[in-house]
Amino acid sequence: MAGLDHYLVLSGVLFTIGTAGVLLRRNVLTFIAFGHFLGSSDGQIIVFFVITVAAAEAAVGLALVIALFRHVETLNPDAYRQLRG
């Protein structure tokens, strides 16, 4: 059974990978360029996957904002403190 130490190490590794990805990120179109150079369509598939995930994130964020607006009927962040219960 996984203990607390395992979860802490996993979260530290994921945080490090995410930080490295932000600091070292490259243009998504380089995947297409390398794929074209190597004669493979893998780069295009990765780009479409990234675009799809980004669109899904935007849709979920918008859905959350709309749900909060319908519940409180304002976009003032101070009004959302009342949702804690």
Side-chain angles (χ1 to χ4, degrees):
M1 179 153 170
L4 178 63
D5 293 338
H6 292 97
Y7 291 114
L8 291 175
V9 169
L10 177 63
S11 67
V13 168
L14 291 175
F15 177 78
T16 304
I17 291 172
T19 303
V22 168
L23 295 176
L24 302 174
R25 71 179 182 184
R26 301 288 184 246
N27 192 348
V28 180
L29 296 178
T30 57
F31 285 119
I32 294 176
F34 277 114
H36 179 71
F37 178 74
L38 298 174
S40 173
S41 63
D42 292 343
Q44 293 176 358
I45 293 170
I46 291 172
V47 169
F48 287 131
F49 180 73
V50 168
I51 290 172
T52 303
V53 169
E57 289 175 359
V60 169
L62 181 61
L64 287 172
V65 169
I66 290 173
L68 285 171
F69 179 76
R70 287 182 180 172
H71 183 70
V72 182
E73 296 183 359
T74 183
L75 293 177
N76 185 3
D78 294 330
Y80 299 132
R81 293 183 187 182
Q82 299 171 356
L83 294 176
R84 293 183 201 167

